[in-house]
Coordinates of all heavy atoms in Angstrom, one line a residue:
A283 N -5.9 1.5 -7.8 CA -4.9 2.0 -8.8 C -5.0 1.2 -10.1 O -4.9 1.8 -11.2 CB -3.5 1.8 -8.2
A284 N -5.3 -0.1 -10.0 CA -5.4 -0.9 -11.2 C -6.7 -0.5 -11.9 O -6.7 -0.5 -13.2 CB -5.5 -2.4 -10.8
A285 N -7.8 -0.3 -11.2 CA -9.0 0.1 -11.9 C -8.8 1.4 -12.6 O -9.3 1.6 -13.8 CB -10.1 0.3 -10.8
A286 N -8.1 2.4 -12.0 CA -7.9 3.7 -12.7 C -7.1 3.5 -14.0 O -7.4 4.1 -15.0 CB -7.1 4.6 -11.8
S287 N -6.0 2.6 -13.9 CA -5.2 2.4 -15.1 C -6.0 1.7 -16.2 O -5.9 1.9 -17.4 CB -3.9 1.6 -14.8 OG -4.2 0.3 -14.4
G288 N -6.9 0.8 -15.8 CA -7.7 0.0 -16.7 C -8.7 0.9 -17.4 O -9.0 0.8 -18.6
A289 N -9.3 1.9 -16.7 CA -10.2 2.8 -17.3 C -9.5 3.7 -18.4 O -10.1 4.0 -19.4 CB -10.8 3.7 -16.2
L290 N -8.3 4.0 -18.2 CA -7.5 4.8 -19.1 C -7.3 4.1 -20.4 O -7.3 4.7 -21.5 CB -6.2 5.3 -18.5 CG -6.3 6.3 -17.4 CD1 -4.9 6.5 -16.8 CD2 -6.8 7.6 -17.9
G291 N -7.0 2.8 -20.3 CA -6.7 2.0 -21.5 C -7.8 1.1 -22.0 O -7.5 0.4 -23.0
G292 N -9.0 1.2 -21.5 CA -10.0 0.2 -21.8 C -10.4 0.2 -23.2 O -10.7 -0.9 -23.7
A293 N -10.5 1.3 -23.9 CA -11.1 1.3 -25.2 C -10.1 1.8 -26.2 O -10.5 2.1 -27.4 CB -12.3 2.2 -25.2
G294 N -8.8 1.8 -25.9 CA -7.8 2.4 -26.8 C -7.2 1.5 -27.7 O -6.3 1.9 -28.5
G295 N -7.5 0.2 -27.7 CA -6.9 -0.8 -28.6 C -5.4 -1.1 -28.3 O -4.9 -0.8 -27.2
L296 N -4.7 -1.5 -29.3 CA -3.3 -2.0 -29.1 C -2.4 -0.8 -28.7 O -1.5 -1.0 -27.8 CB -2.8 -2.6 -30.4 CG -1.5 -3.4 -30.2 CD1 -1.6 -4.5 -29.2 CD2 -1.1 -4.0 -31.6
P297 N -2.5 0.4 -29.3 CA -1.6 1.5 -28.8 C -1.8 1.8 -27.3 O -0.8 2.0 -26.6 CB -2.1 2.7 -29.7 CG -2.6 2.0 -30.9 CD -3.3 0.8 -30.4
A298 N -3.0 1.7 -26.8 CA -3.3 2.0 -25.4 C -2.7 0.9 -24.6 O -2.3 1.1 -23.4 CB -4.8 2.2 -25.2
L299 N -2.8 -0.4 -25.1 CA -2.3 -1.5 -24.3 C -0.8 -1.3 -24.0 O -0.3 -1.6 -22.9 CB -2.5 -2.8 -25.1 CG -2.0 -4.1 -24.3 CD1 -2.9 -4.4 -23.2 CD2 -1.9 -5.3 -25.3
A300 N 0.0 -0.8 -25.0 CA 1.4 -0.6 -24.8 C 1.7 0.4 -23.7 O 2.8 0.4 -23.2 CB 2.0 -0.2 -26.1
I301 N 0.7 1.3 -23.5 CA 0.9 2.3 -22.4 C 0.4 1.8 -21.1 O 1.0 2.0 -20.0 CB 0.2 3.6 -22.8 CG1 0.9 4.2 -24.1 CG2 0.3 4.6 -21.7 CD1 0.1 5.4 -24.7
E302 N -0.8 1.2 -21.1 CA -1.5 0.8 -19.9 C -0.9 -0.4 -19.3 O -0.9 -0.6 -18.1 CB -3.0 0.6 -20.2 CG -3.9 0.2 -19.0 CD -4.0 -1.3 -18.8 OE1 -4.0 -2.0 -19.8 OE2 -4.2 -1.7 -17.6
L303 N -0.5 -1.4 -20.1 CA 0.0 -2.7 -19.6 C 1.2 -2.5 -18.6 O 1.2 -3.1 -17.6 CB 0.3 -3.7 -20.7 CG 0.6 -5.1 -20.2 CD1 -0.5 -5.7 -19.4 CD2 1.0 -6.0 -21.4
P304 N 2.2 -1.8 -19.0 CA 3.4 -1.6 -18.1 C 2.9 -1.0 -16.8 O 3.4 -1.4 -15.7 CB 4.3 -0.7 -18.8 CG 4.0 -0.9 -20.3 CD 2.5 -1.1 -20.3
L305 N 2.0 -0.1 -16.8 CA 1.5 0.5 -15.6 C 0.7 -0.5 -14.7 O 1.0 -0.6 -13.5 CB 0.6 1.7 -15.9 CG -0.1 2.5 -14.7 CD1 1.0 3.0 -13.7 CD2 -0.9 3.6 -15.2
S306 N -0.2 -1.2 -15.3 CA -1.1 -2.1 -14.6 C -0.2 -3.3 -14.1 O -0.5 -3.8 -13.0 CB -2.3 -2.6 -15.4 OG -1.8 -3.3 -16.6
T307 N 0.7 -3.7 -14.9 CA 1.6 -4.8 -14.5 C 2.5 -4.4 -13.3 O 2.7 -5.2 -12.3 CB 2.5 -5.3 -15.6 OG1 1.7 -5.7 -16.7 CG2 3.3 -6.5 -15.2
T308 N 2.9 -3.2 -13.3 CA 3.7 -2.7 -12.1 C 2.9 -2.7 -10.9 O 3.3 -3.0 -9.8 CB 4.3 -1.3 -12.4 OG1 5.2 -1.4 -13.6 CG2 5.1 -0.8 -11.3
I309 N 1.6 -2.2 -11.0 CA 0.7 -2.2 -9.9 C 0.5 -3.6 -9.3 O 0.5 -3.8 -8.1 CB -0.6 -1.5 -10.3 CG1 -0.4 0.0 -10.6 CG2 -1.6 -1.6 -9.2 CD1 -1.6 0.6 -11.3
I310 N 0.2 -4.5 -10.2 CA 0.0 -5.9 -9.8 C 1.3 -6.4 -9.1 O 1.2 -7.1 -8.1 CB -0.4 -6.8 -11.0 CG1 -1.8 -6.3 -11.5 CG2 -0.5 -8.3 -10.6 CD1 -2.2 -7.0 -12.8
M311 N 2.4 -6.2 -9.7 CA 3.7 -6.6 -9.1 C 3.9 -6.1 -7.7 O 4.3 -6.8 -6.8 CB 4.9 -6.2 -10.0 CG 6.2 -6.8 -9.5 SD 6.4 -8.6 -9.7 CE 6.8 -8.7 -11.5
R312 N 3.6 -4.8 -7.5 CA 3.7 -4.2 -6.2 C 2.7 -4.9 -5.2 O 3.0 -5.1 -4.0 CB 3.5 -2.7 -6.2 CG 4.6 -2.0 -6.9 CD 4.4 -0.5 -6.8 NE 4.6 0.0 -5.4 CZ 5.8 0.3 -4.9 NH1 6.9 0.2 -5.6 NH2 5.9 0.7 -3.6
A313 N 1.5 -5.2 -5.7 CA 0.5 -5.9 -4.9 C 1.0 -7.3 -4.5 O 0.8 -7.7 -3.3 CB -0.8 -6.0 -5.6
V314 N 1.6 -8.0 -5.4 CA 2.1 -9.3 -5.1 C 3.3 -9.2 -4.1 O 3.3 -10.0 -3.1 CB 2.6 -10.0 -6.4 CG1 3.5 -11.2 -6.1 CG2 1.5 -10.3 -7.3
A315 N 4.2 -8.3 -4.3 CA 5.3 -8.1 -3.4 C 4.8 -7.7 -2.0 O 5.4 -8.1 -1.0 CB 6.3 -7.0 -3.9
D316 N 3.8 -6.9 -2.0 CA 3.2 -6.4 -0.7 C 2.7 -7.6 0.1 O 2.9 -7.7 1.3 CB 2.0 -5.5 -1.0 CG 1.5 -4.7 0.2 OD1 2.3 -4.4 1.1 OD2 0.3 -4.3 0.2
I317 N 2.0 -8.6 -0.6 CA 1.5 -9.8 0.0 C 2.7 -10.7 0.5 O 2.6 -11.2 1.6 CB 0.6 -10.5 -0.9 CG1 -0.7 -9.7 -1.0 CG2 0.3 -11.9 -0.4 CD1 -1.6 -10.2 -2.1
A318 N 3.7 -10.8 -0.4 CA 4.9 -11.6 0.0 C 5.5 -11.1 1.3 O 5.8 -11.8 2.2 CB 5.9 -11.5 -1.1
R319 N 5.6 -9.8 1.4 CA 6.2 -9.1 2.6 C 5.3 -9.4 3.8 O 5.8 -9.7 4.9 CB 6.3 -7.6 2.4 CG 7.0 -6.9 3.5 CD 7.2 -5.4 3.1 NE 6.0 -4.8 2.7 CZ 6.0 -3.5 2.2 NH1 7.1 -2.8 2.1 NH2 4.8 -3.0 1.9
S320 N 4.0 -9.3 3.6 CA 3.0 -9.6 4.7 C 3.1 -11.0 5.2 O 2.7 -11.3 6.4 CB 1.6 -9.2 4.3 OG 1.0 -10.2 3.5
E321 N 3.5 -11.9 4.4 CA 3.7 -13.3 4.8 C 5.1 -13.6 5.4 O 5.4 -14.7 5.7 CB 3.4 -14.3 3.6 CG 2.0 -14.4 3.2 CD 1.1 -15.1 4.2 OE1 1.6 -15.9 5.0 OE2 -0.1 -14.8 4.2

């Protein structure tokens, strides 16, 4: 999921970052929470 969001925002500059970063950060946060739960 993170790779897919990165491909969408990879070459779009600052405007793309404002769209891609919330998505990728949410994916990372869910991954972190998933690991917390597994521990």
Side-chain angles (χ1 to χ4, degrees):
S287 70
L290 290 173
L296 195 57
L299 181 72
I301 298 171
E302 184 267 330
L303 185 61
L305 177 58
S306 61
T307 303
T308 299
I309 293 168
I310 295 171
M311 184 70 79
R312 289 187 70 87
V314 168
D316 193 29
I317 289 169
R319 184 175 57 186
S320 76
E321 288 290 338

